[in-house]
């Protein structure tokens, strides 16, 4: 895939305003991809729970968890999408 080929070649990543020189190994890229998939699954599950749980306090907590997973998902996606 495009992401895999370019990640293994190595690119400059911008994180928090700093340019980080990084050459990802295949293993590192696969681990980041796994984290991306995990965060996406957690985001979707907690979002679904927030919409279906009838207890408003628990639903609010699920919504907060969903937003946190969505933020981490987006950060990982930005890191891997050069």
């Amino acid at each position: 895939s495009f992401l895999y080929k370019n990640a293994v070649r190595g690119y400059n990543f911008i994180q928090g305003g700093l340019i980080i020189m990084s050459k990802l190994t295949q293993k590192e890229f696969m681990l980041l991809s796994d984290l991306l998939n995990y965060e996406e699954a957690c985001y979707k599950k907690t979002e679904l729970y927030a919409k279906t749980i009838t207890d408003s306090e628990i639903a609010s907590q699920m919504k907060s968890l969903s937003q946190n997973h969505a933020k981490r998902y987006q950060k990982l996606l930005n890191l891997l999408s050069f």
Side-chain angles (χ1 to χ4, degrees):
S1 77
F2 173 79
L3 284 176
Y4 171 74
K5 289 175 188 173
N6 289 310
V8 172
R9 285 185 196 143
Y11 275 79
N12 296 339
F13 295 107
I14 299 174
Q15 182 179 22
L18 299 174
I19 298 176
I20 299 171
M21 299 295 286
S22 178
K23 287 191 177 188
L24 294 177
T25 64
Q26 180 179 358
K27 184 175 183 175
E28 290 167 333
F29 181 78
M30 297 307 292
L31 289 171
L32 287 173
S33 295
D34 288 346
L35 282 173
L36 184 71
N37 291 332
Y38 167 78
E39 289 298 341
E40 181 181 27
C42 289
Y43 160 69
K44 289 179 178 181
K45 286 180 182 181
T46 53
E47 184 178 49
L48 176 64
Y49 297 155
K51 291 178 182 179
T52 57
I53 292 174
T54 56
D55 183 305
S56 62
E57 186 176 332
I58 296 173
S60 176
Q61 291 173 350
M62 286 294 125
K63 181 67 176 171
S64 177
L65 285 172
S66 174
Q67 291 169 344
N68 289 337
H69 284 294
K71 287 177 188 175
R72 284 190 294 272
Y73 172 81
Q74 191 60 49
K75 286 180 181 181
L76 285 168
L77 189 61
N78 290 341
L79 180 66
L80 292 173
S81 300
F82 13 87

